[in-house]
Amino acid sequence: MLKISKLTKRYGSGDPVLKELDLTVEGDQLTSVIGSSGAGKSTLLRCINRLVEPTSGSIDLNGTEFTTLNRRSLRIARRRIGMVFQGFNLIDRLTVMENVQSGRLGYISTWAALTRRYPREDIRHAYELMERVGIAHYANKRADELSGGERQRVGVVRALMQRPEILLADEPTASLDPKTSEQIMSLLRDLASELKLPVIINIHNVAEAKEYSDRIVGMRYGRIIFDGLPARLGKAEMDEIYAGVPAQDRAQAGAAA
């Protein structure tokens, strides 16, 4: 279970980006976080694994308080949080298998990583995951030879190679075409259920969030102003979340709401 309490993030002397935010996520839920640009969605995700340092508050993952960990302890604890990035964050010159195995770097020796001598169990598990997401036949192909959707699937498998306790995805479909976006969202929903893994997605596309999520969290100005089932997200709730956003931008965010 992830329990966030009174989480605040302030950059310099400006207004807080996150304002005493409370959020609990558990089970095999896929939770989508929506809101306009500047609402604090990406900052929230990056505070969870301390890619961004919180100003104050608590982030507890299954009994471990992340905000108080020193650098060494944090490096070890981060293995428990998988992260999928909008820009894929792959090493183009490496093969799919080598990119996937980078998810195990926190578990194997530097020598094994440098010489590509991956443990047999890690290779077996990688093939299982790649087969599950449909990229096993690309194992020896360079990452820069793949399409956007294929690259994102590599990113998903790399995160799952950590055997994480929670999976975070920061705009995982933003760089993809509509059909591929739906495929990735469907994949993440199915993996959450199959692996009993809580998944939190920061997403702009409200229609996809409503279609594939178990729960939607709506943010505005660093606060949560909606938290509930997708079916409860109607026009009134959208108006509150996206108040002040131009109509055409709001329509692009969620015409189906």
Side-chain angles (χ1 to χ4, degrees):
M1 179 174 69
L2 174 71
K3 185 174 182 180
I4 299 172
S5 303
K6 304 297 182 184
L7 182 64
T8 298
K9 174 59 184 177
R10 182 192 302 271
Y11 293 99
S13 58
D15 291 336
V17 178
L18 301 177
K19 302 173 182 177
E20 296 194 337
L21 184 146
D22 295 329
L23 179 66
T24 298
V25 179
E26 57 186 328
D28 55 359
Q29 281 187 332
L30 191 155
T31 300
S32 286
V33 183
I34 65 171
S36 60
S37 297
K41 305 185 302 296
S42 289
T43 299
L44 170 61
L45 258 65
R46 291 171 179 269
C47 277
I48 291 173
N49 57 12
R50 281 180 55 187
L51 290 176
V52 168
E53 287 292 336
T55 301
S56 61
S58 171
I59 301 170
D60 184 289
L61 177 63
N62 294 328
T64 298
E65 175 54 58
F66 269 66
T67 61
T68 60
L69 296 176
N70 60 33
R71 183 174 298 180
R72 182 177 182 278
S73 298
L74 177 61
R75 186 168 60 250
I76 295 171
R78 274 189 180 138
R79 299 183 303 196
R80 299 160 55 188
I81 301 177
M83 186 79 174
V84 179
F85 299 91
Q86 173 183 342
F88 315 129
N89 283 26
L90 305 181
I91 301 176
D92 286 343
R93 62 184 174 79
L94 296 184
T95 66
V96 168
M97 176 60 80
E98 289 167 336
N99 273 283
V100 163
Q101 290 296 336
S102 67
R104 299 298 294 169
L105 292 181
Y107 296 88
I108 64 176
S109 69
T110 302
W111 174 252
L114 290 173
T115 58
R116 312 288 198 268
R117 295 182 178 180
Y118 309 118
R120 184 173 299 177
E121 169 59 22
D122 287 351
I123 294 175
R124 183 196 64 77
H125 188 51
Y127 271 115
E128 287 180 352
L129 290 173
M130 288 191 293
E131 184 70 35
R132 169 61 187 83
V133 306
I135 58 170
H137 54 298
Y138 292 138
N140 296 314
K141 199 168 187 177
R142 279 176 51 132
D144 57 6
E145 298 177 40
L146 304 181
S147 69
E150 291 161 352
R151 289 164 67 84
Q152 194 57 285
R153 289 171 189 269
V154 176
V156 170
V157 173
R158 177 186 57 195
L160 294 178
M161 283 295 292
Q162 298 174 216
R163 300 181 187 271
E165 297 171 25
I166 191 169
L167 183 65
L168 310 179
D170 190 11
E171 291 287 354
T173 64
S175 302
L176 306 177
D177 62 78
K179 181 178 179 180
T180 306
S181 296
E182 292 177 358
Q183 292 172 347
I184 293 298
M185 288 295 292
S186 178
L187 174 65
L188 291 171
R189 178 193 60 191
D190 293 346
L191 289 171
S193 177
E194 293 170 18
L195 302 177
K196 308 301 180 187
L197 183 69
V199 177
I200 306 177
I201 297 177
N202 161 20
I203 186 170
H204 275 293
N205 191 316
V206 179
E208 287 183 356
K210 293 185 70 172
E211 176 71 21
Y212 296 101
S213 305
D214 301 298
R215 174 186 180 189
I216 292 180
V217 171
M219 293 184 62
R220 185 181 179 210
Y221 299 146
R223 291 192 171 94
I224 293 175
I225 61 174
F226 175 86
D227 186 352
L229 297 174
R232 288 184 49 221
L233 185 68
K235 183 180 184 304
E237 290 75 20
M238 286 285 290
D239 286 345
E240 186 176 6
I241 294 168
Y242 291 97
V245 176
Q248 65 271 22
D249 295 340
R250 194 184 310 185
Q252 290 174 1

